[in-house]
Amino acid sequence: MRERLLVLLCALARRRRRRRGAAMAGTGSGTGGGGGGWDGPQRRAWLRHYYSQRQKRLMTLLIAHRRRTSCCFYPRAWPSLRSSDWWERVVLKEFGPQDWLEKFRMSKETFFYVCNQLRPGLAPHSAHFHPTLPLEKRVAVALWHLATNVGYQTLSPLFGVGPSTVQSCVREVSYAVVLLLKPLYLRLPSEKELENMVRIFRTRWGFPHCIGALDSLHIPIHPPLRLASDYCNGQGWHSILTQATVDGLGQFWDVSTAFPGSMENSAVLESSSLWVLAKEGRLCPNPPKHFMGKAQKYVLLGDATYPLQDWILKPYQEDENLTQRQLQFNYRLRRAHSVIENAFLRLKARWQILLKCDDCSLELLPTLVLACCILHNVCEAHDNPFNEEWLEGAEPTELPKPCQPAPAAMEDNGAEQVRELMCQYFESCGEG
């Protein structure tokens, strides 16, 4: 279009120069012969006005033509029949089990189970979606984004929706997952469930009287400039901090998130709901069960960044003065504690939005992280396969995990007796 316009303008300019030359010649002969033609200035003014108006009309016609045809090149995304056909015909009818697992991180049966559970929170009247966008498609858009961390601009033409609609799907589905699935899949265990968790930790990991492993996860973010120092962790990169507790199967049962990356694990623990539950005695039966002949609270397993408590155990500080049974205790604890390290790896590999939250606001981040933890539990509880290839890149080596030891002031002096009881237990059991 631009080339055609230039050609027309050049042709008009040449024609104008030829007519101007002819007009000048006619004016000279008329003046010399005393004819009745126009004088030179009057004719030049008329020609200038004529060609100016003609060029304006031509430009108006060209602009109008471009506006009439622009809809063919810049359509709105959501009415695209081609994308709708891809979702309805290809995804719903031709996707095989491996396709569902690769794109949505869950089986087709689990996907529609999640859709049915979220239906009350994603009714058409309660969300600002185009009326032709089905609930299943909204959930699919959100899960695809959470699983692959593909940007809104890239994902929008795939589903035939605009980038703002993709963002709305992610936000609304994440809120619905936390509202409707959290009471089912991420909650405080009952007393009977706590007993079952103790049994699993003893049989699977060889650690007695334990109900969970405790650790933290740093999620890289791009913080606002005014808050950059608050979110800069001990390793010099920006993150939000998530504290989580898992059972012996690697499923989350307590998550506190969105703490600034500059906070230490001990400070996060003291600010979390888990600390309140433990202090209120809600993490064990009342009275506590007996262990090694003494009434003892159930314990959680942490690392050196957590304070030693009568309900949190951590390894002995490594030095040459450790006894053989203290070394054995450290080995047993670290082996059992690896269940949460594996859970974090599977969480990030399955929902790769957690590898780097670039296009997510700080206000949405807590909901998004909780939604990923809940969906992780859904997939694990429904025995959905886990593809080991997803682990590639799930643990960036250029972003080492911050590790600040817990302050001595938070240590519980009486907790040393609990560690001693555990050492006696492992010594009586022998190597293993």
Side-chain angles (χ1 to χ4, degrees), residues 274-287:
L274 185 68
W275 182 269
V276 177
L277 292 173
K279 293 304 180 183
E280 293 177 351
R282 298 172 61 187
L283 297 183
C284 65
N286 189 15

Side-chain angles (χ1 to χ4, degrees), residues 41-73:
Q42 185 180 3
R43 183 176 180 81
R44 285 194 296 273
W46 182 85
L47 289 173
R48 187 162 51 248
H49 176 74
Y50 171 77
Y51 284 111
S52 175
Q53 292 299 317
R54 184 168 180 171
Q55 288 181 12
K56 288 180 180 179
R57 287 196 298 271
L58 178 62
M59 291 296 297
T60 302
L61 290 174
L62 289 174
I63 292 172
H65 176 73
R66 289 192 66 182
R67 285 180 176 173
R68 286 196 302 270
T69 59
S70 62
C71 61
C72 299
F73 300 100

Side-chain angles (χ1 to χ4, degrees), residues 95-106:
F95 260 29
Q98 191 60 35
D99 297 317
W100 282 94
L101 192 65
E102 187 65 28
K103 303 304 182 184
F104 304 109
R105 299 304 198 252
M106 59 183 63

